[in-house]
């Protein structure tokens, strides 16, 4: 079997050491490298200080085949990654003509002028290969020496991700030919991690030794990842599919999809396929449910619109909830949520109406309705379905978990035909 | 001046290297240590392998006064932190009577029996001091040797946080008497990092050597952080405030706040203070602007609601945009956005109406209106203000950047009185 390829992740930036930013980059990078068959053996974060950075370079080079660096590429004086790399690889910084053309075009297309500070972003160590940044101004850099590779990328997450996916990972695969690793992600919703684990315990126990299972719990959902190592990709794929079929016999109703697509994509595909339209009335989720739905490209095929009737008077005047319903039951109640779902469906003239109302917190709780109490409803011409959730004490979690539960309610109730 | 006290954070666990868990512990620890005047110089993550762990201990001891270790304290065989620490400090593991009593009580109070595996959690290296874990089963450990301190804590966030706050931080303060560190974060919006840097170059150059400036760019905004080291907190605060006043002379109109509060909080405070109400009509932002506004606790004081008129027919029928306006100019146009802002203000009966409409992408573009073209508008009884944005090719960035720009439009145009 091929040699295991080792990578070290190096993050540069005082803002991470001081805790002003959470480093989410390195998790994403770990996952992508793992998919590519490259093993991450260490993650290191150092501050914006030359000696710290130089030491980290030297230490990482000893341990790993690949050193992936993020951060410290901004145009300002506290950004030291580039001069440090030039020094470490012993070559000068010089304006890179293609990089200069790209950064000039970047500013021009936004109707802004190139300043001297921006111009310096096109200066690169002459011994590196430029890695194009199609959505930002700081180019990445690729260095090779004695069979080891250093890659420097911006710390801005979307710029780094684009660069990794489009250029860095394919180039690393070509350079190192790591072994074949196959991942299959099975996405489940509506069952907690430990309940899921119990239901599939025997299936898990019977997995062959070259296949590993990981539970990846998220908000309201649990992803299962099967990772297999071998030589033949088609054989690994076939084996994973066969195992998935067996899994479906146990927990099929909780599986909403596979791979990268979250629940909002799965629900969108379902609606498009069945040619159904959707409208939403969201109170406690405050726009987040609509945001999830519309974050999917092409969602205008099935999503017509929504209302966020945050205030009582808007619930009545704009959406049309009966004053007596609100007075008698309050906004967070089954009668109100039923009216909301039916009304938004009628007003927006869609096949499906969905509504949310709850106590997101921290204020607004009563002894009967503590923070985290949420009602959701689904309505179509055949039925109206409600569900009461008891979520957490945390406002942000409640907003997100209620939105995801509402999407799952659509998935479970969309007409079969 | 007191000597600067240096800390290194060491996280142990394969699950972090593989990207199965985001390490949020180290950010929290950084913030708390920084508040206590202890400087974090490095963060390291290694996997569950003895040689990796032992090397990391030795490297950290060379660099830092304090080594704070999290993770690898579970009861299973893949948890190696405790045996490695015993080996590193050259002493045997032995059942600690007090720890045994505590773990026994922990299980008893939950009606569960103590297994042999759990009993082993009370085995500690004899050369360490136990750090009590009041909410979990794995005790922490405090080691001292040659003026350096190693502390091992569980990786479970709430257990670690409780231990740090109650015991570890107070004990570190007592042991090291660290100097005072003061951070001031100044939040700006509407000016790119390089433009901001140019405008304040002379101010930055004149900063005294004990004060460092960092640029922390985010989507549509840039935070400036002044970090100063000294003996007297009031003196450092006064100095930072004085420097901020000078900064305001140069870029005052771009500063929207200080510290932790994002633009949606700043705008919320402004509206609450001026007793103004807000409604939103968002097309291309699809609910995200409403979500930002309602993510702030207490936003119901000023936010009455919103509409997401995603489809043409909803723009006309529900919001009331004139068909001829849409026909003549399209949805992404100045005449349409003006109508949308005015209409939502009138319909929802608020002081302010805000609207967004644009091509979020990837579909929907025309030669005149490429992906990233967005119109936003602000309306109150005195004026209607519009702005055209040319954003990126990325749907998610466009949704978020347009929402933030709309919030900034409110900030800039809210009536002065």
């Amino acid at each position: 079997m091929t040699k295991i390829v080792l990578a070290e992740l190096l993050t540069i930036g005082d803002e991470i050491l001081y805790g002003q930013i959470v480093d989410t980059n390195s998790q994403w990078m770990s996952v992508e490298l793992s998919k590519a068959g490259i093993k991450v053996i260490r993650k290191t974060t150092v501050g914006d200080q030359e000696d710290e950075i130089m030491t980290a370079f030297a230490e990482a080079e000893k341990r790993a085949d690949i050193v992936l660096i993020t951060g410290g590429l901004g145009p300002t004086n506290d950004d030291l990654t580039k001069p440090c790399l030039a020094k470490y690889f012993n070559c000068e910084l010089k304006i890179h003509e293609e990089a200069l053309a790209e950064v000039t075009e970047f500013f021009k297309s936004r109707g802004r002028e190139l300043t001297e500070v921006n111009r310096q972003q096109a200066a690169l160590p002459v011994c590196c290969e430029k890695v194009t940044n199609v959505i930002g101004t700081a180019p990445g850099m690729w260095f090779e020496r004695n069979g080891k590779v250093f890659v420097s990328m911006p710390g801005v997450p979307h710029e780094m991700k684009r660069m990794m996916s489009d250029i860095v990972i394919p180039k690393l695969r070509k350079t190192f030919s790591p072994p074949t690793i196959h991942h299959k992600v099975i996405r489940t919703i509506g069952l907690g991690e430990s309940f899921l684990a119990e239901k599939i315990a025997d299936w898990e126990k019977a997995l062959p030794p070259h296949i590993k299972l990981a539970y990846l719990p998220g908000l309201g959902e649990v992803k299962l990842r099967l990772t297999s190592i071998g030589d033949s990709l088609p054989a690994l794929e076939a084996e994973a599919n066969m195992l998935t079929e067996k899994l479906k016999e146990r927990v099929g109703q909780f599986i909403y999809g596979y791979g990268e697509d979250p629940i909002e994509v799965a629900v969108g595909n379902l609606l498009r396929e069945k040619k159904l339209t959707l409208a939403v009335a969201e109170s406690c989720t405050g726009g987040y449910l609509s945001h999830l739905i519309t974050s999917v490209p092409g969602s205008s095929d099935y999503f017509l619109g929504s209302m966020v009737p945050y205030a009582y008077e808007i619930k009545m005047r704009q959406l049309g909830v009966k004053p007596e319903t609100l007075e008698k039951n309050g906004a967070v109640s089954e009668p109100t949520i039923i009216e909301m779902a039916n009304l938004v469906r009628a007003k927006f003239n869609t096949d499906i109406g969905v509504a949310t109302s709850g106590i997101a917190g921290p204020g607004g709780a009563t002894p009967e309705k503590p923070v985290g109490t949420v009602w959701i409803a689904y309505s179509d011409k055949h039925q109206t379905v409600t569900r009461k959730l008891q979520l957490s004490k945390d406002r942000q979690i409640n907003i997100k978990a209620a939105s995801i539960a509402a999407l799952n309610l659509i998935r479970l109730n969309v007409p079969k035909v």
Side-chain angles (χ1 to χ4, degrees), chain A:
Chain A
M1 201 144 97
T2 339
K3 177 181 166 296
I4 294 175
V5 184
L6 306 178
E8 175 153 344
L9 308 186
L10 177 59
T11 309
I12 298 176
D14 283 342
E15 67 275 19
I16 297 193
L17 286 186
Y18 294 166
Q20 283 171 349
I21 283 181
V22 182
D23 167 30
T24 54
N25 282 344
S26 65
Q27 188 220 6
W28 185 89
M29 290 167 79
S30 287
V31 171
E32 296 305 308
L33 289 166
S34 169
K35 282 188 205 161
I38 295 166
K39 188 175 175 177
V40 176
I41 48 157
R42 193 184 273 235
K43 295 185 185 185
T44 304
T45 305
V46 296
D48 297 311
Q49 272 186 282
E50 188 184 310
D51 55 338
E52 292 285 340
I53 295 171
M54 297 298 280
T55 310
F57 285 168
E59 288 172 359
E61 189 177 358
K62 264 183 231 149
R63 281 187 292 256
D65 305 299
I66 300 164
V67 182
L68 294 175
I69 305 157
T70 52
L73 287 189
T76 51
N77 288 332
D78 57 338
D79 291 303
L80 297 177
T81 303
K82 209 158 57 175
C84 284
L85 279 166
K87 191 171 172 185
Y88 189 73
F89 285 96
N90 202 15
C91 64
E92 58 168 343
L93 276 169
K94 211 177 140 184
I95 292 286
H96 187 289
E97 287 310 322
E98 197 182 288
L100 182 62
E102 282 162 6
V103 69
T104 307
E105 177 54 32
F106 185 92
F107 279 89
K108 206 177 139 193
S109 74
R110 279 158 182 76
R112 282 152 60 188
E113 232 176 287
L114 191 74
T115 64
E116 181 50 33
V117 168
N118 298 130
R119 215 180 104 86
Q120 286 310 314
Q121 297 209 274
L124 297 180
V126 291
C127 52
C128 82
E129 207 175 307
K130 182 193 65 146
V131 181
T132 304
N133 184 349
V134 291
I135 48 177
T137 56
M141 291 164 271
W142 174 289
F143 298 85
E144 276 189 55
R145 186 164 70 183
N146 306 327
K148 307 241 166 168
V149 167
F150 276 59
V151 186
S152 159
M153 290 173 282
V156 183
H158 63 275
E159 297 182 17
M160 178 281 293
K161 287 179 186 175
R162 184 74 182 266
M163 229 179 236
M164 278 279 282
S165 302
D166 288 2
I167 306 173
V168 178
I169 297 254
K171 208 166 144 83
L172 288 174
R173 271 180 181 282
K174 222 176 129 187
T175 312
F176 292 96
S177 315
T180 301
I181 296 192
H182 178 258
H183 291 284
K184 177 158 188 145
V185 173
I186 301 144
R187 305 181 73 110
T188 76
I189 190 165
L191 201 60
E193 182 179 2
S194 57
F195 295 96
L196 182 63
E198 266 185 36
K199 275 189 191 291
I200 65 173
D202 56 337
W203 174 88
E204 184 177 354
K205 222 174 175 176
L207 289 175
H210 68 286
I211 301 193
K212 275 190 143 187
L213 177 72
Y215 289 82
L216 312 174
L219 205 60
E221 66 169 331
V222 179
K223 286 177 278 183
L224 296 172
R225 193 185 57 214
L226 286 171
T227 302
S228 38
I229 301 188
D231 296 313
S232 150
L233 189 59
L236 295 177
E237 271 173 357
E239 196 178 16
N241 290 342
M242 192 263 300
L243 287 165
T244 306
E245 286 309 310
K246 291 208 172 153
L247 187 70
K248 274 162 103 174
E249 291 167 16
R250 281 165 185 78
V251 291
Q253 75 270 38
F254 301 103
I255 297 175
Y256 73 83
Y258 304 91
E260 292 301 309
D261 288 344
I263 182 73
E264 56 269 26
V265 171
V267 168
N269 290 341
L270 202 61
L271 295 174
R272 185 182 287 110
E273 181 193 308
K274 291 179 186 280
K275 297 195 196 323
L276 295 168
T277 56
L278 171 68
V280 167
E282 42 180 332
S283 186
C284 68
T285 49
Y288 191 74
L289 174 54
S290 303
H291 165 61
L292 284 183
I293 295 165
T294 59
S295 68
V296 181
S299 44
S300 53
D301 292 353
Y302 45 83
F303 178 69
L304 297 200
S306 67
M307 193 183 277
V308 181
Y310 218 54
Y312 247 64
E313 61 201 269
I314 304 293
K315 284 188 181 73
M316 295 184 283
R317 268 209 334 264
Q318 292 297 321
L319 188 56
V321 178
K322 291 196 208 90
E324 52 273 30
T325 310
L326 286 169
E327 250 161 58
K328 207 175 139 193
N329 311 284
V332 183
S333 66
E334 189 166 31
T336 299
I337 202 74
I338 290 174
E339 274 193 37
M340 285 174 68
N342 291 336
L343 282 164
V344 78
R345 179 164 75 87
K347 270 184 87 77
F348 283 57
N349 193 25
T350 53
D351 299 309
I352 297 167
V354 167
T356 68
S357 185
I359 318 285
T366 65
E368 301 78 40
K369 295 173 187 172
V371 169
T373 308
V374 176
W375 279 95
I376 57 178
Y378 164 97
S379 154
D380 65 25
K381 66 180 172 184
H382 307 292
Q383 59 173 349
T384 304
V385 183
T386 65
R387 194 162 293 179
K388 188 186 182 181
L389 312 169
Q390 191 55 53
L391 301 169
S392 78
K393 298 278 165 233
D394 183 282
R395 182 178 182 85
Q396 308 308 330
I397 291 174
N398 292 342
I399 289 171
K400 291 176 181 174
S403 299
I404 287 168
L407 288 167
N408 197 33
L409 200 64
I410 301 174
R411 178 181 78 90
L412 294 172
N413 291 288
V414 158
K416 292 286 169 286
V417 284

